Amino acid sequence: MATDLIELKNLGKTSVQWLNAVGIRTLEQLHDVGSVAAYCKVRSRGFKVSKVLLYALEGALIGSHWNDLDSDHKARLLRAVKECAL
């Protein structure tokens, strides 16, 4: 199993740098924070992110390509992001 963020499915150099910038440096930390909170932290830091990053983070945690997440799963993630914006 991948332990370094760059080894995870869906995460590239830029997304890993963004995660590092908000204090998420390990898979364990990403699991602890979760995809929604990690996305919100990156976005609140001022990085220009799209919803694809949210899906990529979720996919990385569950070991799936982000595009394989079903539409209901994606909708739940987007609703959760709206909650962290409040």
Side-chain angles (χ1 to χ4, degrees):
M1 179 179 190
T3 56
D4 190 6
L5 293 176
I6 196 67
E7 296 173 1
L8 297 175
K9 200 176 280 245
N10 306 312
L11 299 185
K13 183 179 176 183
T14 300
S15 54
V16 169
Q17 288 174 336
W18 289 343
L19 290 169
N20 286 193
V22 298
I24 300 170
R25 293 180 172 76
T26 67
L27 174 59
E28 182 179 1
Q29 289 173 326
L30 181 57
H31 269 290
D32 290 346
V33 170
S35 59
V36 171
Y39 174 85
C40 291
K41 286 175 178 268
V42 169
R43 187 180 63 181
S44 70
R45 181 73 187 262
F47 296 111
K48 301 294 180 198
V49 298
S50 72
K51 61 186 175 184
V52 173
L53 177 64
L54 174 63
Y55 304 152
L57 291 169
E58 181 72 6
L61 287 174
I62 64 174
S64 176
H65 189 277
W66 69 267
N67 209 28
D68 292 336
L69 299 175
D70 66 49
S71 58
D72 289 338
H73 195 148
K74 290 177 180 178
R76 285 191 302 274
L77 291 169
L78 290 174
R79 282 193 300 273
V81 164
K82 288 181 184 177
E83 295 294 318
C84 78
L86 300 176

